[in-house]
Amino acid sequence: MEFEECIKFANENPVSWVATVENDQPRVRALGMWFADESGYYFQIRLDMDMYSQP
């Protein structure tokens, strides 16, 4: 699959899942992709959630 096809697929299927750990407990959350282009994949999260600060 070419990179352009990956971008097209990602833009057509914008929901992803991300796994994190909080206090030794796994967390899996849905993550909405804003868009993808030649420079990368861009995701959106709410700032009132701690997910962005979790390792």
Side-chain angles (χ1 to χ4, degrees):
M1 181 178 278
E2 298 294 322
F3 188 60
E4 293 79 18
E5 293 172 296
C6 294
I7 292 170
K8 182 178 184 293
F9 178 83
N11 283 316
E12 291 173 351
N13 301 279
V15 177
S16 299
W17 298 89
V18 65
T20 61
V21 175
E22 182 178 14
N23 299 324
D24 294 327
Q25 293 295 313
R27 306 281 185 227
V28 179
R29 298 179 178 99
L31 191 63
M33 187 181 67
W34 184 25
F35 70 95
D37 66 13
E38 300 79 24
S39 64
Y41 293 74
Y42 297 87
F43 293 89
Q44 55 192 348
I45 62 170
R46 292 179 15 203
L47 291 178
D48 62 336
M49 296 181 73
D50 289 335
M51 184 174 60
Y52 70 91
S53 65
Q54 294 172 348

